[in-house]
Amino acid sequence: MGNISCKVSYLDGATMELNGISFNQCVRKVHEDAEKNERNPLLITFSTGKKIYYDEEQVRNFVENNIDQLELVEATECDGIYRNTTKMKMDGGEELEEGWLWTKKGNYVFLVDQDRSVYCDYDERLFIET
């Protein structure tokens, strides 16, 4: 992948754009910014149309050369970041209040939570893109 542009979306609603850099440089700069300024990146959108969820563990593995670009993309590529707009009841009876973060991949959404592995069918009536 040659030089591209990328837009970083943060938890607080802020964005940052980086232009004329490589995929590798973009991910490293976002990681550096997050560490140095205690920022919470959520999504990196590349000018190629590719989107990756900023999974701190996966990005750290990439920056430390423990995984390569393909492995990072496979682990974090998504169609966008969403929030549930209503309370949701999980299979085990647990309820999630509205506003949780989810990544969308195809027809499914996956809860952004390191302690739980939860996914469900995407329903546009229940989720809104962040």
Side-chain angles (χ1 to χ4, degrees):
M1 196 179 281
N3 285 347
I4 56 171
S5 298
C6 66
K7 179 180 176 183
V8 185
S9 302
Y10 292 89
L11 183 60
D12 64 4
T15 61
M16 174 175 69
E17 292 195 32
L18 301 167
N19 297 302
I21 61 176
S22 69
F23 176 94
N24 189 328
Q25 291 170 318
C26 176
V27 173
R28 289 175 188 278
K29 283 182 183 286
V30 173
H31 176 72
E32 180 181 299
D33 178 62
E35 295 280 309
K36 188 166 86 174
N37 298 311
E38 297 182 11
R39 298 186 79 186
N40 296 307
L42 289 178
L43 186 70
I44 304 173
T45 304
F46 296 92
S47 54
T48 60
K50 188 174 294 300
K51 295 178 182 182
I52 63 170
Y53 164 67
Y54 189 89
D55 180 310
E56 188 175 343
E57 181 180 350
Q58 295 293 338
V59 170
R60 185 177 298 110
N61 281 329
F62 176 74
V63 168
E64 294 174 355
N65 297 314
N66 295 324
I67 62 173
D68 62 21
Q69 179 178 331
L70 181 60
E71 291 169 308
L72 177 65
V73 170
E74 286 176 354
T76 60
E77 187 172 17
C78 66
D79 300 330
I81 302 289
Y82 291 74
R83 289 190 185 274
N84 55 303
T85 58
T86 185
K87 188 183 286 188
M88 300 179 73
K89 191 168 187 171
M90 302 293 103
D91 286 340
E94 179 183 10
E95 289 188 348
L96 294 176
E97 295 297 323
E98 67 181 70
W100 283 79
L101 286 172
W102 301 74
T103 58
K104 182 176 180 283
K105 298 177 186 179
N107 294 325
Y108 298 98
V109 287
F110 299 83
L111 181 64
V112 175
D113 187 330
Q114 292 181 342
D115 296 329
R116 295 179 275 196
S117 179
V118 176
Y119 72 96
C120 63
D121 292 333
Y122 171 72
D123 183 334
E124 64 186 21
R125 297 169 298 174
L126 303 177
F127 295 92
I128 186 165
E129 191 165 14
T130 304

